[in-house]
Amino acid sequence: QVQLVESGGGLVHAGGSLRLSCAASGRTFYTLNMGWFRQAPGKGREFVAAIRWSAGTTYYADSVKGRFTISRDNAKNTVYLQMNSLKPEDMAVYYCGADTNYDNEYDYWGQGTQVTVSS
């Protein structure tokens, strides 16, 4: 079992920045592949970024490359999403997920944190 708790969402003007955090518990964090996803109203959940447990390799959706950065602190059991140059289209509920089977299927999810970007 893995428990995930996101924080750091809020209201920001376009062009601004936010840093999301996802605290994990219940399993050795450093062995988990972690990812961030988002869901805007009326849309499905979409991939944003991921970070592998080994070597810390990162992956990004094209829509956020160069603006968002995913990172992890294994000592704090936390994964972060630094979001810069935010756009109104980034507005969504952001979820972190854990891929415990290393198959790109995220089997644990947090409750989500709202990011609102005003234009």
Side-chain angles (χ1 to χ4, degrees), residues 19-22 29 34 36 49-51 56 58 60 68-74 78-82:
R19 188 176 81 156
L20 305 183
S21 301
C22 174
F29 177 74
M34 301 295 296
W36 285 97
I51 185 165
T58 57
Y60 296 94
F68 290 12
T69 302
I70 188 172
S71 62
R72 65 192 299 158
D73 185 337
N74 290 335
T78 301
V79 62
Y80 303 98
L81 185 68
Q82 177 66 44

Side-chain angles (χ1 to χ4, degrees), residues 7-75:
S7 62
L11 172 65
V12 64
H13 292 297
S17 298
L18 281 175
R19 188 176 81 156
L20 305 183
S21 301
C22 174
S25 60
R27 177 169 159 168
T28 307
F29 177 74
Y30 78 91
T31 67
L32 301 176
N33 290 337
M34 301 295 296
W36 285 97
F37 292 72
R38 66 189 182 187
Q39 187 166 17
K43 296 186 177 181
R45 189 172 296 186
E46 65 170 355
F47 168 77
V48 174
I51 185 165
R52 299 292 190 199
W53 75 272
S54 60
T57 307
T58 57
Y59 305 86
Y60 296 94
D62 288 343
S63 59
V64 306
K65 279 181 183 176
R67 299 188 298 121
F68 290 12
T69 302
I70 188 172
S71 62
R72 65 192 299 158
D73 185 337
N74 290 335

Side-chain angles (χ1 to χ4, degrees), residues 103-115:
D103 58 1
N104 290 324
E105 296 292 330
Y106 289 79
D107 37 353
Y108 293 95
W109 297 94
Q111 81 289 350
T113 186
Q114 176 71 49
V115 171

